[in-house]
Amino acid sequence: MPRKLLLPYKSAFPPFGAPRASHDSLAMNAARSGYRVFSANSTAACTELARRITERLGVELGKSVVYQETNGETRVEIKESVRGQDIFIIQTIPRDVNTAVMELLIMAYALKTSCARNIIGVIPYFPYSKQSKMRKRGSIVCKLLASMLAKAGLTHIITMDLHQKEIQGFFSFPVDNLRASPFLLQYIQEEIPDYRNAVIVAKSPDAAKRAQSYAERLRLGLAVIHGEAQCTEQDMDDGRHSPPMVKNATVHPGLELPLMMAKEKPPITVVGDVGGRIAIIVDDIIDDVESFVAAAEILKERGAYKIFVMATHGLLSADAPRLIEESSIDEVVVTNTVPHEVQKLQCPKIKTVDISLILSEAIRRIHNGESMAYLFRNITVDD
């Protein structure tokens, strides 16, 4: 019986390490060096910022579906390949904060399991940033959220005007904390007539550093409202009184701790001259507007003839539009880090400054491996 000749096996694929065809190589390199921009929001109103950013970048918004099922669960479906690419997730935070957080976490994890190379979260307003300090028997929720984002697969975050700059230390990956102040300063110079006759106002001593930064850049005077009745963050319990004092507790003999005197706020005073001037109140967040309305009333009594409020994040919760409309405030200027189109319809005093330019430039620089220093030029530690 004749022997069968065993021919060597010839693979349809080139040997390991051998160069592929030129068009395959180009396609592979393009995929690996490419990037995609996705929106993690399930509501149309929240995708406006993502649309502006992609228009500036000259790219299309990534194909994905984000929706809520009838039982309330969030579902995310990625409709295109993201293997080996840099993915930027733009997530603006609407009133339903917890749903937005879950959308972001689920999308990040879906991209991670789809083999994306880097997952960068673009979160202009970082939620839970006010809960960044220990309260009595509470928790630092902002730190918890940072850990959840890292676990979901995020490798970088772009945000804007964190409520406390120390929040960056909660993360195990890089955080770029951009500033909106250049856009707000430009608005003051271009849209407020006779702004040279203005004075920058801090509605509490806590906001004095931010107000001082604005005043120095505009070469204007500074005023600080002191002694307001509202409860500031420094006055809240921070855990030092836990466990609570017990009336009949036994004390070690000879141990006499000095008694901490209770705080007593002085009468409301305005440190600085605002008479016959335009008052511009600056802050990072405008949420519950009662303190801003009260500050405006005080400034009116002290002789200010026009009052502006400038803030990066316009949350404008509850009855904020109605209270602003009925107050002495002439105009509230916020950026579009948070969607507030409904509030603008309710109150024509609310104006918007677009910050998509700096976010799109940050995305471009991070993807190309360029320095971010240009976006932080002339920014100091106190800004």
Side-chain angles (χ1 to χ4, degrees):
M1 186 174 182
R3 276 186 176 179
K4 289 185 179 179
L5 294 176
L6 297 176
L7 298 176
Y9 172 75
K10 192 170 185 180
S11 172
F13 300 95
F16 181 77
R20 293 174 178 246
S22 58
H23 67 279
D24 289 342
S25 178
L26 290 173
M28 182 64 70
N29 289 336
R32 285 182 177 173
S33 63
Y35 71 99
R36 293 284 186 275
V37 180
F38 286 86
S39 174
N41 286 115
S42 58
T43 56
C46 297
T47 58
E48 175 64 22
L49 181 60
R51 185 188 62 79
R52 288 175 178 265
I53 292 173
T54 52
E55 284 181 357
R56 291 185 181 275
L57 291 170
V59 299
E60 293 183 357
L61 201 61
K63 297 179 177 64
S64 65
V65 178
V66 182
Y67 61 95
Q68 312 299 320
E69 294 187 343
T70 53
N71 61 359
E73 293 182 356
T74 300
R75 185 174 291 273
V76 176
E77 297 175 5
I78 309 299
K79 297 295 186 179
E80 60 181 298
S81 175
V82 296
R83 183 178 296 272
Q85 298 189 39
D86 292 335
I87 305 300
F88 295 86
I89 308 174
I90 301 173
Q91 180 68 321
T92 51
I93 306 299
R95 290 192 176 186
D96 191 355
V97 179
N98 296 327
T99 299
V101 169
M102 285 305 300
E103 290 171 347
L104 178 60
L105 291 171
I106 295 173
M107 176 168 277
Y109 190 68
L111 293 166
K112 176 183 177 181
T113 54
S114 299
C115 299
R117 181 174 62 175
N118 293 308
I119 304 172
I120 301 96
V122 183
I123 314 170
Y125 168 66
F126 195 79
Y128 289 98
S129 58
K130 286 188 174 182
Q131 298 190 47
S132 58
K133 296 180 181 180
M134 176 61 74
R135 304 300 181 204
K136 187 175 181 180
R137 299 184 188 85
S139 60
I140 306 176
V141 183
C142 195
K143 175 66 171 69
L144 171 64
L145 181 56
S147 302
M148 292 167 65
L149 292 172
K151 191 68 176 178
L154 263 68
T155 58
H156 197 143
I157 276 183
I158 303 170
T159 187
M160 182 164 283
D161 282 337
L162 286 170
H163 188 56
Q164 300 288 342
K165 298 179 184 66
E166 295 79 5
I167 291 174
Q168 296 175 79
F170 293 163
F171 295 86
S172 57
F173 49 77
V175 176
D176 286 311
N177 183 27
L178 303 176
R179 304 296 195 275
S181 52
F183 297 91
L184 296 175
L185 289 168
Q186 184 182 25
Y187 184 94
I188 293 173
Q189 293 173 312
E190 295 179 356
E191 302 296 333
I192 299 181
D194 196 23
Y195 81 93
R196 291 291 182 187
N197 189 36
V199 59
I200 304 299
V201 179
K203 70 179 180 66
S204 68
D206 300 335
K209 281 188 176 180
R210 182 182 299 272
Q212 181 181 358
S213 173
Y214 276 71
E216 290 174 354
R217 282 172 164 75
L218 293 169
R219 279 67 173 171
L220 298 176
L222 176 66
V224 179
I225 299 176
H226 181 53
E228 60 271 351
Q230 81 241 18
C231 181
T232 61
E233 289 186 43
Q234 281 74 10
D235 298 328
M236 299 175 69
D237 292 329
D238 59 2
R240 295 190 183 97
H241 304 294
S242 181
M245 296 293 293
V246 181
K247 290 183 179 179
N248 298 326
T250 57
V251 181
H252 189 276
L255 181 63
E256 294 183 4
L257 297 175
L259 179 65
M260 177 63 74
M261 296 180 65
K263 288 184 179 181
E264 184 177 347
K265 290 190 176 183
I268 295 176
T269 56
V270 178
V271 182
D273 182 21
V274 297
R277 298 197 178 186
I278 301 171
I280 304 175
I281 305 172
V282 296
D283 212 333
D284 62 329
I285 299 173
I286 176 168
D287 188 2
D288 297 324
V289 300
E290 284 86 354
S291 60
F292 291 92
V293 171
E297 294 294 336
I298 296 165
L299 294 171
K300 272 290 186 189
E301 293 174 4
R302 298 298 191 276
Y305 71 91
K306 210 165 189 180
I307 299 169
F308 291 81
V309 175
M310 316 284 291
T312 302
H313 310 295
L315 304 186
L316 303 170
S317 303
D319 293 332
R322 180 182 59 82
L323 294 174
I324 293 171
E325 187 66 26
E326 297 172 356
S327 72
S328 302
I329 299 172
D330 292 281
E331 197 168 283
V332 174
V333 183
V334 293
T335 70
N336 55 346
T337 56
V338 178
H340 51 266
E341 294 304 318
V342 175
Q343 290 90 330
K344 285 180 69 175
L345 294 174
Q346 297 171 351
C347 178
K349 291 182 179 181
I350 301 172
K351 308 296 180 184
T352 306
V353 175
D354 181 27
I355 44 82
S356 61
L357 175 63
I358 192 171
L359 293 175
S360 58
E361 180 62 16
I363 290 173
R364 189 192 67 80
R365 286 176 175 269
I366 289 174
H367 170 65
N368 293 331
E370 299 177 20
S371 172
M372 296 284 285
Y374 178 76
L375 303 182
F376 293 96
R377 65 194 187 284
N378 299 327
I379 299 293
T380 63
V381 176
D382 293 333
D383 288 333

